[in-house]
Amino acid sequence: MIPTQSQGPGPEAQYRAFLDEGRFMIQRSASTGQHVFYPRVAAPGTGAMDLEWVEASGLGTIYSITVNRGRDSSFNIALVQLDEGPRLMTRIEGVETAPIGTRVKARITELEGEKVIVFDLAEKGGAA
């Protein structure tokens, strides 16, 4: 586990550095066990400042999804609940949409010159 508090870069810069290394890391409070995403200096609700970096499982469930359609293309915007608890806004790659509750798996890709987390269906054909 890697402590969040340091004399170096802030939580967002640390998160992006992990992505650049090919690692999907999230924060967890050492005292409460609560996982936190998006990176921050204190846990929401409790204000705990003992956040440390831990490897995310990369697994989650589609909590909500919508499709943004244009004349030339369409893409989805999804809210995924990680198995660790936090939710994050992302895309589900390879499909236009998928049912709420579908199991997904994270991967790191590059979008507009930055490393980002996207998700793929955990199993072809729906929920795992």
Side-chain angles (χ1 to χ4, degrees):
M1 287 165 255
I2 302 160
T4 297
Q5 301 298 319
S6 70
Q7 294 298 87
E12 183 174 357
Q14 291 175 359
Y15 169 71
R16 293 198 178 282
F18 287 129
L19 288 180
D20 287 341
E21 294 171 3
R23 300 170 68 195
F24 179 21
M25 303 287 282
I26 60 176
Q27 294 170 297
R28 179 180 64 201
S29 168
S31 61
T32 68
Q34 174 191 12
H35 288 86
V36 175
F37 190 86
Y38 199 80
R40 56 194 74 214
V41 296
T46 66
M49 297 186 71
D50 59 349
L51 299 177
E52 58 193 9
W53 291 101
V54 295
E55 194 89 31
S57 69
L59 298 173
T61 304
I62 297 175
Y63 183 83
S64 68
I65 190 166
T66 190
V67 178
N68 185 0
R69 291 185 175 89
R71 289 183 180 195
D72 299 325
S73 65
S74 63
F75 60 92
N76 61 58
I77 302 168
L79 194 58
V80 168
Q81 181 150 9
L82 298 175
D83 284 359
E84 292 85 357
R87 295 181 189 141
L88 67 134
M89 193 170 292
T90 185
R91 291 186 187 181
I92 311 300
E93 298 285 290
V95 295
E96 184 178 66
T97 191
I100 303 301
T102 300
R103 296 289 290 160
V104 291
K105 182 168 178 53
R107 70 179 160 86
I108 300 170
T109 191
E110 192 165 313
L111 181 66
E112 298 177 8
E114 286 190 37
K115 300 283 183 165
V116 296
I117 299 292
V118 297
F119 285 79
D120 298 305
L121 298 181
E123 277 189 15
K124 297 292 184 197

